[in-house]
């Protein structure tokens, strides 16, 4: 019995017995005692069993990453504890770190192909409630920038060409600037704005989740504005 709740069990050997844990209306510690004579006499070992609140997953951030794995996500929920394990589908996370009873960090494992899996948190007995969806996508690639140069303080819009662009949480990183949102145009094209404060040659890298960025090394060159026009050619032409 668990506290005052009697349950069924099975004697396996002279030193081992299996007991079915009865449900409880509240969390807390119960003493567990065993009887082998239909409840006439119970042991007095005072072994403890603790009822805990069930683990519950509510949401995750970020919700996508490359099939190579390595994306760090934050899982939001309830009743997380040190023994919790993080799963992406049927695969255990590459690493898991408990931040608090409501936050866990997990690193996505690799996957053979694109697809959507459930992210779940389970205790040591494999119990857990709720899940959130995580989308695996192919690693994005950047092949070119157009234009590749522009005037300083112009706020230049740059078209980034490549492949595997996903219209979800696109991000663009220009040089050492903070990540900014990008505009999706197709799976092979997106647009980024080069901040007006940028000067010199800067790299432009993009991301499908604002965390895992491309590593193309392609650069955008900012140019000084000309001080004034000296001459034009030709200097005249027909009205039509």
């Amino acid at each position: 019995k668990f506290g005052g709740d009697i349950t069924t069990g099975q004697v396996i050997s002279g030193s081992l017995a299996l007991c079915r844990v009865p449900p409880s209306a509240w969390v807390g510690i119960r003493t567990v005692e065993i009887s082998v004579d239909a409840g006439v006499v119970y042991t007095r070992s005072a072994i403890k069993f603790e009822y805990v609140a069930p683990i519950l997953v509510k949401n995750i951030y970020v919700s996508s990453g490359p099939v190579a794995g390595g994306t760090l996500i934050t899982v939001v929920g309830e009743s997380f504890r040190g023994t919790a394990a993080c799963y992406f589908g049927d695969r255990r996370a590459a690493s898991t770190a408990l931040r608090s009873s409501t936050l866990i960090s997990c690193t996505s494992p690799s996957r053979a192909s694109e697809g959507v899996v459930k992210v779940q948190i389970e205790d040591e007995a494999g119990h857990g409630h709720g899940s959130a969806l995580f989308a695996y996508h192919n690693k994005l690639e950047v092949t070119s920038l157009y234009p590749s140069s522009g005037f300083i303080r112009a706020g230049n819009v740059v078209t980034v060409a490549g492949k595997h662009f996903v219209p979800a949480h696109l991000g663009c990183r220009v040089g050492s600037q903070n990540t900014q949102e990008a505009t999706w145009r197709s799976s092979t094209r997106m647009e980024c704005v080069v901040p007006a404060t940028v000067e010199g040659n800067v790299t432009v890298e993009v991301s499908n989740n604002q965390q895992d960025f491309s590593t193309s090394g392609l650069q955008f060159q900012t140019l000084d504005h000309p001080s004034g026009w000296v001459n034009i050619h030709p200097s005249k032409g027909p009205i039509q």
Side-chain angles (χ1 to χ4, degrees):
K1 63 180 179 179
F2 288 67
D5 297 325
I6 298 175
T7 185
T8 58
Q10 179 182 1
V11 175
I12 304 301
S13 69
S15 59
L16 179 63
L18 297 179
C19 297
R20 183 178 298 277
V21 179
S24 176
W26 62 90
V27 300
I29 296 175
R30 313 286 192 276
T31 57
V32 179
E33 306 295 353
I34 296 175
S35 172
V36 294
D37 55 8
V40 176
V41 178
Y42 282 91
T43 59
R44 296 183 179 180
S45 60
I47 294 174
K48 306 296 183 183
F49 179 87
E50 183 179 6
Y51 283 94
V52 294
I55 288 175
L56 175 64
V57 171
K58 293 182 176 179
N59 202 359
I60 61 172
Y61 179 83
V62 296
S63 58
S64 67
V67 294
T71 301
L72 181 65
I73 73 168
T74 298
V75 184
V76 181
E78 296 178 2
S79 304
F80 297 157
R81 39 194 177 271
T83 56
C86 181
Y87 287 89
F88 289 71
D90 59 358
R91 299 203 62 190
R92 189 160 181 161
S95 64
T96 303
L98 178 68
R99 302 303 182 190
S100 70
S101 63
T102 59
L103 295 175
I104 284 183
S105 296
C106 305
T107 303
S108 65
S110 61
R111 193 173 191 268
S113 61
E114 290 185 302
V116 177
V117 299
K118 289 182 178 181
V119 174
Q120 296 174 296
I121 304 296
E122 298 181 355
D123 60 19
E124 64 273 21
H127 298 150
H129 298 277
S131 63
L133 298 180
F134 181 88
Y136 279 96
H137 51 70
N138 289 321
K139 181 181 179 181
L140 57 74
E141 298 179 21
V142 173
T143 56
S144 65
L145 306 176
Y146 181 81
S148 59
S149 63
F151 291 125
I152 294 175
R153 294 182 292 277
N156 298 277
V157 177
V158 177
T159 296
V160 182
K163 57 183 179 180
H164 306 314
F165 299 161
V166 179
H169 302 287
L170 292 175
C172 186
R173 181 177 291 165
V174 180
S176 60
Q177 299 287 313
N178 293 330
T179 301
Q180 57 180 308
E181 291 187 359
T183 302
W184 185 85
R185 296 303 183 191
S186 71
S187 62
T188 60
R189 188 166 63 93
M190 70 170 74
E191 293 177 352
C192 295
V193 176
V194 177
T197 56
V198 170
E199 297 184 12
N201 295 338
V202 291
T203 56
V204 178
E205 304 293 356
V206 295
S207 169
N208 279 327
N209 60 9
Q210 299 192 14
Q211 183 186 125
D212 304 301
F213 281 84
S214 60
T215 55
S216 68
L218 293 178
Q219 292 189 333
F220 181 87
Q221 181 183 20
T222 55
L223 306 172
D224 289 331
H225 283 281
S227 57
W229 299 111
V230 177
N231 203 351
I232 61 172
H233 179 80
S235 60
K236 63 179 65 176
I239 62 175
Q240 292 184 343

